């Protein structure tokens, strides 16, 4: 089951493990795995190299591996323990508390071994022999994701797995010993287990493990591992393609080239035109493989237009997993490919049925439920609706259990509507569609940053106007959405991002949120988590949960992340960049990474005084241009005539810098308003702080470099903050919007403390600026300003006092602006 090779088998970060060492480590792990054939062993751990050793050690001893979702709760693990009665559990330190609690709940005593104890120790073992005794022996029990209820243990034999191998190696040479595969998806699921572990090692191509699902980690692993095969789910490809397409659409030239490639449909030409995109993904990707759910036609065609070979597979856990797959050069939209030569497919009453040597042995200890899906002739009834064309291609039109049947007899596929709703990325984070009587209703999770200061009623009103109404104009009557429900949680999904639709109605009833509150969350006890928890709670003045996300739950801004980066580096000797932080699923996952990679543990906090007084003179700052004065004069003239701009309090602006100018943020007009209302000598020495998102594209970035605009670069927030300090140290001025984002309602939002830290540590005064009327002139819902009167008032400077905290300085500035707004 593992090729005898001298090549690299596993790339894990900067560590390369060759096949001989891998086999030696499997032997080491097998010493602790049950020796009795057919004994069941659980693997409950995150993706890591030791997961692979533990897995193959089970097979080396002719046991049955039971991979378990690393994010499972105590009750989830207890359920599986009670169902399959394992003899042994492989886990990791961060998961140990869950395992112990699950065993207690299940009332069982089982041997527990920690994966990391043997992952890096010196080995002097014989190379393992990982061979099966009989192809028909059970190799795996994979528990289904539970999209329709309680999970069931799918028993898969070696024959089931090898049938998949033959289809994509012997029959169609996709995998080879020259192509390395990316491990990205959680390995408890059959698709990544078979596609990114078992087959790559069987053929000798090897793998590279991506530490997280974050963009920077994926890019780094693709480059480091020279990845040729990338296996993902539709939501991954949707995110990847959406990010690329957004950059393409920002330029008239790249839009034109994209359209040309779409017309020519020449892979070589597309790869030449979009060479930079391929290089960004490591430059070696031969195949992108999508599975787990239907891939939208737009994404398939879009990635093909960029020159990528996108292969779509169709299957299910019960088929180990593949029923059909597209062949290179034969990708047809909405088609999931052709069955392998060993497989048969037919349509029975509109349902896709499959038969062949890859169909499961059955559900563990559930013969009745097995008989419900595998008939007496051996046909697996998939529950998917579809048809087969004259060339044998399989097309999936929907899932029978998901189709919404309206009273007028019309059938609606909810996933089609959900994809269209999720394209409104400025407003919609997630969407789901449910039936509400004779109508369709949308459950929409709004984008966190946009909606956090809005009431549910305000969010609903905006979503109806900016999402539902535009969508309804594009579809037939029976597909129109007549109502929506705003949900500020996460939609229930499996680890492969499939919606658990049977839980959606509970969300509307409020039952899901109640059960979520009642669900017991096991608080990690390991020291790294506790130190991180204490730091975050003190910084953010909140009660932290291990399941909190750094952005969506804790609302960390750029400065918070810079501070946390420094704290982790100083305390643990581990570097987690600010760009990588959002890629961790939650704080517990971040703490687990720290626990596994730390080089020390000594609690220290960020010293902002030392940080800002460090030598930053070598940092390259943007510069102004000779047209700035003329441009400002033109803008000032426009605002005075169109918006009757009134400028007050100019005498409050210090004649000489440095100073921090801190306006409230009402609209996109605010930056130009401040610039054109400053006295010309002050304006020429003034810099502006802007988010990278607002300056995407080569032209906008060039504009920023030549107009004194410092971009908040997410990939290097520390340098961005240092540039702000360097501006002030050079006696220049700095414009920072303390709210960080435009108001949604016209009301003053919360103030970030970046400007207050700069003010106090560099002893620079803050000039509060009150902008009135800009929200009415250009609210978020409008694209063009109206001729509403605008006032810009410069208030008396606030000088930093060493006795004041950062928060107190920020509050003084906010109170001054609030008082002006209330006049």
């Amino acid at each position: 089951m593992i090729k005898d090779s001298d090549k690299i088998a596993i790339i894990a970060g900067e560590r390369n493990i060759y096949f001989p060492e891998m086999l030696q480590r499997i032997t080491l792990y097998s010493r602790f795995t049950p020796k009795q054939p057919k004994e069941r062993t659980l693997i409950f751990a995150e993706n890591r190299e030791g997961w692979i050793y533990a897995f193959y050690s089970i097979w080396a001893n002719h046991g049955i591996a039971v991979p378990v979702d690393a994010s499972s709760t105590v009750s989830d693990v207890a359920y599986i323990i009670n169902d399959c009665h394992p003899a042994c559990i492989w886990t990791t330190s961060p998961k140990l508390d869950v395992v112990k609690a699950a065993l207690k709940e299940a009332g069982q005593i089982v041997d527990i071994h920690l994966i990391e104890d043997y992952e890096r120790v010196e080995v002097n073992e014989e190379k393992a022999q990982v061979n099966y005794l009989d192809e028909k022996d059970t190799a795996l029990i994979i528990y289904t994701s539970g999209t329709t209820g309680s999970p069931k243990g799918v028993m898969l034999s070696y024959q089931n797995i090898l049938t998949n191998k033959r289809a994509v190696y012997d029959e169609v040479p996709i995998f080879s010993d020259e192509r390395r595969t990316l491990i990205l998806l959680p390995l408890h699921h059959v698709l990544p287990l078979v596609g990114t572990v078992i087959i790559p090692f069987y053929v000798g191509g090897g793998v590279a493990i991506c530490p997280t699902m974050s963009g920077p980690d994926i890019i780094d692993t693709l480059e480091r591992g020279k990845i040729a095969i990338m296996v993902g789910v539709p939501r991954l490809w949707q995110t990847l393609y959406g990010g690329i397409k957004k950059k393409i659409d920002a330029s008239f030239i790249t839009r034109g080239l994209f359209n040309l490639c779409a017309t020519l449909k020449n892979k070589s030409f597309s790869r030449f035109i979009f060479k930079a995109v391929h290089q960004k993904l490591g430059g070696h990707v031969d195949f992108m493989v999508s599975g787990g759910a239907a891939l939208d036609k737009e994404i398939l065609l879009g990635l093909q237009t960029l020159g990528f070979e996108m292969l779509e597979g169709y299957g299910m856990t019960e088929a180990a997993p593949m029923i059909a797959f597209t062949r290179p050069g034969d990708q047809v939209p909405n088609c999931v490919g052709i069955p392998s030569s060993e497989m048969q497919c037919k349509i029975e009453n509109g349902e896709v049925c499959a038969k062949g040597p890859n169909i499961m042995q059955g559900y563990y200890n559930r013969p009745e439920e097995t008989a419900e899906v595998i008939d007496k002739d051996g046909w697996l009834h998939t529950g998917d609706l579809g048809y087969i064309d004259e060339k044998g291609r399989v097309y999936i039109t929907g899932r029978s259990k998901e189709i919404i049947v309206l009273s007028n007899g019309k059938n609606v596929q909810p996933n089609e509507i959900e994809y269209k709703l999720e394209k409104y990325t400025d407003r919609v984070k997630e969407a789901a569609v449910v039936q509400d009587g004779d109508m369709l209703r949308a459950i929409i999770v709004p984008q966190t940053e946009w909606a956090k200061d809005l009431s549910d009623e305000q969010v609903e009103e905006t979503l109806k106007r900016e999402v539902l109404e535009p969508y309804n104009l594009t579809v037939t009557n029976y597909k129109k959405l007549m109502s929506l429900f705003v949900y500020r949680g996460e939609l229930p999904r499996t680890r492969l991002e499939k919606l658990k639709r049977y839980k959606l109605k509970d969300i509307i009833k409020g039952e899901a949120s109640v059960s979520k509150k009642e669900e017991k969350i096991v608080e990690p006890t390991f020291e790294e988590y506790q130190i991180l928890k204490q730091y975050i709670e003190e910084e953010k003045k909140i009660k932290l949960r291990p399941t909190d996300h750094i952005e969506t739950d804790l609302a960390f801004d750029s400065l918070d992340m810079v501070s946390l980066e420094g704290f982790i580096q100083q305390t643990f000797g581990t570097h987690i960049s600010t760009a990588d932080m959002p890629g961790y699923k939650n704080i517990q996952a971040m703490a687990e990474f720290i626990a596994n990679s730390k080089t020390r543990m000594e609690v220290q906090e960020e010293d902002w005084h030392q940080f800002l007084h460090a030598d930053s003179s070598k940092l390259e700052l943007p510069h102004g241009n000779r047209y700035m004065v003329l441009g400002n004069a033109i803008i000032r003239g426009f605002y005075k005539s169109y918006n009757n701009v009134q400028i007050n309090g100019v005498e409050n602006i210090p004649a000489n810098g440095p100073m921090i100018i801190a306006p409230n943020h009402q609209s996109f007009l605010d930056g130009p308003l401040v610039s054109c209302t400053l006295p010309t000598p002050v304006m020429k020495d003034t810099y502006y702080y802007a988010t990278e998102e607002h300056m995407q594209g080569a032209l906008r970035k060039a504009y920023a470099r030549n107009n004194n605009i410092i971009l908040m670069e997410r990939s290097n927030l520390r340098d961005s903050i240092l540039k702000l300090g360097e501006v002030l140290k050079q006696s220049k001025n700095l414009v920072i919007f303390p709210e960080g984002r435009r108001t949604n309602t016209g009301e003053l939002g919360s103030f970030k403390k970046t400007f207050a830290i700069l003010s106090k540590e560099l002893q620079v005064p803050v000039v509060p600026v009150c902008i009135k009327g800009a929200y009415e002139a250009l609210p978020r819902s409008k694209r063009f300003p109206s001729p509403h009167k605008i006032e810009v008032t410069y208030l008396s400077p606030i000088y930093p006092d060493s006795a004041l905290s950062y928060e107190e300085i920020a509050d003084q500035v906010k109170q001054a602006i609030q008082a002006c707004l209330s006049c």
Side-chain angles (χ1 to χ4, degrees):
M1 298 294 284
I2 299 177
K3 186 171 183 177
D4 189 6
S5 169
D6 292 326
K7 292 184 177 181
I8 295 173
I10 304 169
I11 296 176
E14 296 183 0
R15 178 171 156 78
N16 294 340
I17 302 96
Y18 289 79
F19 275 93
E21 180 187 346
M22 174 187 173
L23 290 168
Q24 286 180 304
R25 292 198 177 276
I26 292 170
T27 299
L28 174 63
Y29 277 65
S30 69
R31 295 179 183 275
F32 307 95
T33 298
K35 306 296 189 299
Q36 185 70 27
K38 299 184 181 180
E39 284 280 16
R40 292 165 295 283
T41 298
L42 256 64
I43 306 178
F44 179 57
E46 67 283 358
N47 290 1
R48 57 191 297 159
E49 59 179 285
W51 196 106
I52 297 170
Y53 307 144
F55 174 78
Y56 278 108
S57 75
I58 300 168
W59 280 7
N61 288 343
H62 305 294
I64 299 171
V66 186
V68 178
D69 185 350
S71 68
S72 297
T73 64
V74 170
S75 296
D76 294 335
V77 179
Y79 171 88
I80 294 174
I81 290 172
N82 270 327
D83 194 60
C84 72
H85 299 281
C88 172
I89 298 175
W90 280 104
T91 189
T92 56
S93 296
K95 305 295 178 186
L96 188 58
D97 291 340
V98 175
V99 171
K100 289 180 177 178
L103 287 169
K104 183 177 181 181
E105 184 175 313
Q108 294 194 33
I109 299 174
V110 176
D111 288 339
I112 303 172
H113 299 294
L114 295 180
I115 286 175
E116 65 266 34
D117 284 354
Y118 314 101
E119 199 171 43
R120 301 290 175 92
V121 298
E122 186 175 342
V123 287
N124 186 21
E125 309 275 351
E126 293 292 328
K127 292 193 294 185
Q129 299 296 316
V130 186
N131 298 312
Y132 51 84
L133 297 176
D134 188 326
E135 279 197 9
K136 294 182 179 179
D137 284 342
T138 303
L140 296 168
I141 298 178
I142 300 279
Y143 279 81
T144 56
S145 307
T147 57
T148 57
S150 298
K152 298 181 286 290
V154 177
M155 296 186 294
L156 298 176
S157 67
Y158 291 101
Q159 180 187 45
N160 298 154
I161 296 166
L162 290 172
T163 304
N164 281 267
K165 186 276 299 184
R166 289 191 290 269
V168 294
Y169 175 61
D170 301 332
E171 186 176 329
V172 181
I174 295 170
F175 288 85
S176 77
D177 60 358
E178 298 298 325
R179 292 186 177 128
R180 186 172 289 117
T181 303
L182 178 70
I183 292 182
L184 179 63
L185 303 176
L187 294 177
H188 73 278
H189 195 283
V190 68
L191 168 65
L193 178 55
V194 173
T196 69
V197 173
I198 296 174
I199 296 177
F201 288 128
Y202 194 105
V203 305
V207 302
I209 303 172
C210 190
T212 73
M213 292 281 282
S214 71
D217 272 344
I218 293 173
I219 297 300
D220 179 67
T221 310
L222 288 170
E223 292 177 347
R224 187 191 302 274
K226 297 181 179 179
I227 297 298
I229 301 174
M230 189 177 176
V231 180
V233 292
R235 286 180 71 83
L236 169 68
W237 306 122
Q238 180 179 339
T239 301
L240 175 68
Y241 176 66
I244 296 171
K245 190 64 165 61
K246 191 173 183 179
K247 293 181 179 180
I248 289 173
D249 289 343
S251 166
F252 172 79
I253 295 174
T254 50
R255 271 201 316 272
L257 289 171
F258 183 85
N259 292 334
L260 176 63
C261 289
T263 302
L264 294 177
K265 297 181 180 179
N266 183 294
K267 180 180 174 181
S268 298
F269 181 73
S270 292
R271 291 180 74 94
F272 172 75
I273 293 296
F274 293 105
K275 183 179 179 181
V277 175
H278 288 261
Q279 291 299 322
K280 185 74 173 176
L281 297 181
H284 295 83
V285 176
D286 290 330
F287 298 110
M288 292 177 168
V289 180
S290 182
L295 183 66
D296 189 84
K297 173 182 176 181
E298 179 184 343
I299 299 172
L300 171 65
L301 294 178
L303 289 170
Q304 284 180 340
T305 298
L306 294 171
F308 290 106
E309 188 85 68
M310 170 59 75
L311 305 180
E312 187 170 6
Y314 163 63
M316 53 198 304
T317 307
E318 289 83 346
M322 198 163 56
I323 293 172
F325 65 100
T326 55
R327 278 33 174 192
D330 187 38
Q331 297 92 334
V332 179
N334 303 322
C335 168
V336 294
I338 302 173
S340 70
S341 61
E342 298 182 69
M343 282 294 299
Q344 300 176 60
C345 277
K346 70 176 183 178
I347 306 298
E348 186 172 301
N349 298 321
E351 181 185 18
V352 178
C353 299
K355 183 178 181 180
N358 62 323
I359 302 303
M360 69 171 179
Q361 297 173 311
Y363 296 123
Y364 184 70
N365 283 338
R366 297 196 185 189
E368 295 84 4
E369 294 184 47
T370 301
E372 290 177 5
V373 297
I374 301 180
D375 64 27
K376 58 183 177 61
D377 295 319
W379 288 95
L380 173 69
H381 292 251
T382 66
D384 292 313
L385 303 177
Y387 63 94
I388 301 174
D389 69 13
E390 66 281 357
K391 293 186 177 180
R393 297 192 187 101
V394 179
Y395 296 77
I396 303 300
T397 58
R399 181 135 184 95
S400 58
K401 294 179 180 179
E402 294 181 356
I403 284 183
I404 296 173
V405 182
L406 302 175
S407 60
N408 59 8
K410 296 291 187 181
N411 292 341
V412 177
Q413 276 297 336
N415 61 301
E416 294 178 6
I417 300 175
E418 290 154 3
Y419 175 71
K420 291 179 179 179
L421 295 179
E422 289 176 357
K423 292 178 73 173
Y424 294 89
T425 53
D426 290 343
R427 297 288 182 262
V428 180
K429 183 179 180 182
E430 291 184 272
V433 174
V434 296
Q435 186 172 5
D436 187 4
D438 286 338
M439 302 184 300
L440 296 177
R441 188 176 195 182
I443 301 173
I444 294 182
V445 179
Q447 287 290 358
T448 308
E449 276 300 306
W450 164 64
K452 71 178 182 180
D453 295 329
L454 299 178
S455 67
D456 284 354
E457 291 76 16
Q458 291 170 322
V459 171
E460 181 177 341
E461 180 183 351
T462 304
L463 290 174
K464 283 181 177 178
R465 183 177 62 251
E466 298 185 13
V467 178
L468 259 61
E469 290 180 11
Y471 162 78
N472 284 339
L473 290 173
T474 66
V475 297
T476 57
N477 286 336
Y478 73 90
K479 289 186 178 181
K480 288 184 177 180
L481 297 165
M482 307 310 293
S483 65
L484 70 87
F485 179 81
V486 175
Y487 182 55
R488 295 183 186 259
E490 291 185 358
L491 295 180
R493 293 183 183 275
T494 70
R495 288 294 295 280
L496 288 194
E497 298 294 334
K498 291 182 181 178
L499 272 174
K500 297 181 179 181
R501 295 191 181 276
Y502 70 99
K503 291 188 175 184
L504 294 179
K505 289 187 177 179
D506 291 342
I507 288 178
I508 295 177
K509 293 176 183 176
E511 294 173 8
S513 59
V514 172
S515 64
K516 189 172 183 179
K517 290 178 183 177
E518 293 175 348
E519 183 180 344
K520 184 178 179 182
I521 298 176
V522 177
E523 177 80 9
T525 57
F526 60 98
E527 192 172 1
E528 294 83 0
Y529 170 80
Q530 293 297 328
I531 292 173
L532 199 61
K533 174 187 175 182
Q534 181 179 355
Y535 170 81
I536 292 173
E537 288 186 339
E538 290 176 356
E539 280 290 303
K540 300 295 287 185
K541 305 296 186 290
I542 51 132
K543 182 69 176 175
L544 179 74
R545 299 171 301 172
T547 55
D548 284 339
H549 184 268
I550 198 79
E551 284 185 328
T552 55
D553 296 312
L554 302 178
F556 264 52
D557 63 15
S558 57
L559 194 73
D560 292 327
M561 291 191 194
V562 169
S563 180
L564 180 60
E565 179 186 3
F567 173 78
I568 292 172
Q569 179 74 48
Q570 295 170 25
T571 303
F572 302 106
T574 294
H575 181 240
I576 300 179
S577 74
T578 52
D580 290 346
M581 288 180 185
Y584 289 91
K585 179 181 177 182
N586 50 40
I587 293 300
Q588 181 174 341
M590 184 182 293
E592 290 169 359
F593 171 78
I594 292 170
N596 290 323
S597 60
K598 71 178 187 297
T599 57
R600 63 171 180 267
M601 195 151 63
E602 181 181 354
V603 178
Q604 299 182 42
E605 295 186 5
E606 182 73 74
D607 184 340
W608 285 112
H609 183 82
Q610 180 180 358
F611 176 79
L612 290 171
H613 282 81
D615 182 14
S616 55
S617 59
K618 294 181 180 179
L619 291 175
E620 184 180 354
L621 297 177
H623 51 80
N625 66 76
R626 56 183 176 177
Y627 301 111
M628 285 177 59
V629 175
L630 176 61
N632 265 352
I634 294 172
I635 295 171
R636 185 186 301 116
F638 170 80
Y639 283 142
K640 284 198 171 185
S641 61
Y642 188 71
N643 293 103
N644 192 22
V645 169
Q646 181 178 330
I647 308 171
N648 308 312
V650 176
E651 66 277 4
N652 289 321
I653 301 173
N656 298 306
M659 74 185 96
I660 297 172
I661 300 166
N664 58 313
H665 205 354
Q666 291 203 330
S667 78
F668 273 136
L669 304 175
D670 299 338
L673 276 170
V674 173
S675 180
C676 74
T677 56
L678 285 171
T680 298
V682 176
M683 180 275 296
K684 291 169 69 175
D685 281 342
T686 298
Y687 286 73
Y688 301 81
Y689 192 35
T691 63
E692 194 173 30
E693 288 79 6
H694 289 151
M695 288 290 172
Q696 291 184 348
L699 291 178
R700 290 186 181 183
K701 288 183 178 180
Y703 176 84
R705 287 194 301 271
N706 292 282
N707 285 274
N708 284 359
I709 298 174
I710 297 173
L711 295 182
M712 183 193 77
E713 298 179 37
R714 188 160 192 162
S715 61
N716 200 342
L717 288 175
R718 295 181 75 85
D719 275 4
S720 298
I721 301 297
L722 283 172
K723 286 179 182 179
L724 302 183
E726 180 61 24
V727 164
L728 297 172
K729 286 190 283 188
Q730 292 184 16
S731 295
K732 307 294 184 181
N733 313 309
L734 186 62
V735 176
I736 299 181
F737 292 97
E739 294 164 277
R741 56 196 275 291
R742 293 172 292 151
T743 178
N744 288 294
T745 62
E747 301 294 323
L748 200 61
S750 59
F751 273 31
K752 316 290 185 186
K753 61 183 181 181
T754 307
F755 78 101
I757 292 176
L758 291 164
S759 171
K760 179 175 179 176
E761 300 304 342
L762 297 176
Q763 287 297 292
V764 174
V766 180
V767 179
V769 182
C770 176
I771 299 176
K772 283 185 186 179
Y775 174 77
E776 290 77 10
L778 187 61
R780 281 180 175 265
S781 58
K782 288 187 177 181
R783 300 185 64 181
F784 301 101
S786 63
H788 191 282
K789 182 180 178 181
I790 298 176
E791 290 184 44
V792 179
T793 303
Y794 292 88
L795 305 173
S796 298
I798 294 175
Y799 291 87
D801 186 326
S802 58
L804 295 177
S805 67
Y806 305 138
E807 290 78 7
E808 288 170 331
I809 294 172
D811 193 51
Q812 283 190 10
V813 175
K814 182 177 180 180
Q815 288 180 17
I817 295 176
Q818 185 64 67
C820 178
L821 287 170
S822 302
C823 293

